[in-house]
Amino acid sequence: DVKVTQSSRYLVKRTGEKVFLECVQDMDHENMFWYRQDPGLGLRLIYFSYDVKMKEKGDIPEGYSVSREKKERFSLILESASTNQTSMYLCASSLGLSNQPQHFGDGTRLSIL
Amino acid sequence: TQLLEQSPQFLSIQEGENLTVYCNSSSVFSSLQWYRQEPGEGPVLLVTVVTGGEVKKLKRLTFQFGDARKDSSLHITAAQPGDTGLYLCAGAPPRDTDKLIFGTGTRLQVFP
């Protein structure tokens, strides 16, 4: 079974802090994704990576950056956290083929005070 | 930007009832996936449909992909409390099939 592990289930940070969310997958998947989930809005793609050191902006990349130095690890960085970034963050991975399912971690609920 | 609208947004029913969830778009998708998400967990894939008009069954759940590959439906027969959760449809854009566009979600509550 594919396992996608997010480093924290809950995180509380202060406005202006630099925040790191970590995600690790154990199935050698090429693709990794970061989403945020807000009520009534579904999942919105922040960033996508299809290979080591490769990244592509999603629909809402403003205020975020990412890092993928190793195939199994994809990090989301909030450069200067703001209260409107309070949300549930979900990491996912998939094979680098068409129409593949995405495998999700259990999410990090981030609160910015 | 491609959008996927789900309806209804919320559904609260008694055990044993039938229900249908709709996922609609004005855009064509290469494939359509359905996920279920339970509290405190990430979404988990239920099914992928690829061909226009395709119907797939998973026990009491029936999934259909529209003929034009722009819409999909999920029908649950004789709902049970274990079906409670957030149902998400997700479409793969034809020119970017590694990615998914997620619907707005349908939160289902089934009471015993």
Side-chain angles (χ1 to χ4, degrees):
Chain A
D1 262 2
V2 177
K3 188 148 180 71
V4 178
T5 303
Q6 293 184 231
S7 54
S8 306
R9 293 297 298 270
Y10 301 94
L11 209 51
V12 180
K13 296 291 182 180
R14 295 211 172 270
T15 302
E17 280 193 70
K18 191 169 185 175
V19 181
F20 294 86
L21 302 183
E22 306 287 345
C23 175
V24 177
Q25 50 97 2
D26 66 357
M27 282 302 291
D28 203 35
H29 283 171
E30 289 81 12
N31 297 334
M32 295 189 76
F33 308 82
W34 275 106
Y35 295 91
R36 63 177 283 176
Q37 183 175 28
D38 300 289
L41 297 178
L43 274 66
R44 293 180 291 167
L45 182 65
I46 305 171
Y47 266 99
F48 160 53
S49 170
Y50 51 91
D51 201 352
V52 176
K53 297 190 188 295
M54 306 303 288
K55 62 184 179 185
E56 192 175 306
K57 291 181 181 178
D59 299 317
I60 51 165
E62 297 77 21
Y64 304 94
S65 63
V66 290
S67 172
R68 193 163 179 204
E69 297 296 317
K70 293 184 178 181
K71 191 174 185 179
E72 67 270 18
R73 186 179 295 270
F74 192 33
S75 303
L76 179 69
I77 303 149
L78 284 65
E79 297 292 342
S80 177
S82 64
T83 54
N84 63 11
Q85 292 178 310
T86 290
S87 187
M88 169 69 84
Y89 289 87
L90 288 163
C91 174
S93 72
S94 72
L95 286 169
L97 299 168
S98 298
N99 302 314
Q100 291 298 302
Q102 292 185 10
H103 301 266
F104 286 85
D106 286 338
T108 296
R109 187 163 291 284
L110 175 64
S111 296
I112 307 296
L113 305 179
Chain B
T1 304
Q2 292 177 285
L3 293 174
L4 272 170
E5 296 285 339
Q6 282 185 241
S7 62
Q9 190 175 356
F10 299 97
L11 201 49
S12 183
I13 60 172
Q14 293 292 132
E15 182 175 2
E17 290 186 38
N18 301 333
L19 66 115
T20 302
V21 177
Y22 298 94
C23 175
N24 294 302
S25 176
S26 57
S27 304
V28 174
F29 291 98
S30 176
S31 67
L32 207 295
Q33 299 176 14
W34 284 91
Y35 291 79
R36 180 168 68 208
Q37 183 179 19
E38 300 189 26
E41 299 180 9
V44 175
L45 179 74
L46 295 172
V47 78
T48 301
V49 284
V50 179
T51 307
E54 183 176 1
V55 177
K56 277 193 175 177
K57 292 195 173 187
L58 191 67
K59 296 183 182 177
R60 294 174 295 100
L61 278 61
T62 302
F63 304 85
Q64 185 162 9
F65 201 10
D67 290 341
R69 291 188 288 133
K70 292 182 179 181
D71 55 83
S72 181
S73 63
L74 157 61
H75 182 79
I76 301 179
T77 304
Q80 298 178 1
D83 296 326
T84 293
L86 178 69
Y87 288 81
L88 294 159
C89 63
R95 290 192 177 85
D96 212 350
T97 55
D98 280 19
K99 290 189 199 170
L100 292 172
I101 308 294
F102 278 85
T104 46
T106 295
R107 190 165 294 281
L108 172 65
Q109 177 85 51
V110 182
F111 292 96

